[in-house]
Amino acid sequence: MQGVGFRWFVQEHALRIGLRGWVRNEDDGRVQVYAVGTSAQLDELAGLLYRGPRGADVRGVEAREAAVQQLNSFRSE
């Protein structure tokens, strides 16, 4: 997924939706996203992750719960 603006895509949409969290590339080519928000906000982001930006090759999305981090915004790492 790297090289097609996936982190930018996630960050822009997460900020628009009103989520807090981060997005980063992993060494194996995956992109990891941590997002905090309402169920509706997270569902909206999940739908966008399945699609990705133009040129993305999304082969799957894995979602799991995680401890809540105290973050003020959404950033790309």
Side-chain angles (χ1 to χ4, degrees):
M1 286 186 273
Q2 297 179 22
V4 295
F6 206 94
R7 284 184 305 152
W8 177 87
F9 173 85
V10 173
Q11 184 177 11
E12 289 297 308
H13 286 286
L15 288 169
R16 179 186 56 77
I17 294 167
L19 294 166
R20 297 180 321 268
W22 47 260
V23 57
R24 67 177 171 219
N25 289 338
E26 297 293 329
D27 291 338
D28 63 3
R30 293 178 301 142
V31 176
Q32 185 175 16
V33 178
Y34 172 84
V36 177
T38 67
S39 293
Q41 289 170 312
L42 296 171
D43 287 346
E44 183 175 350
L45 181 64
L48 292 164
L49 294 177
Y50 278 101
R51 186 185 81 216
R54 182 179 307 155
D57 180 17
V58 179
R59 296 182 184 164
V61 175
E62 179 183 326
R64 60 180 122 144
E65 291 189 27
V68 175
Q69 299 175 17
Q70 296 302 316
L71 302 166
N72 296 324
S73 187
F74 199 96
R75 67 181 186 269
S76 178
E77 296 186 340

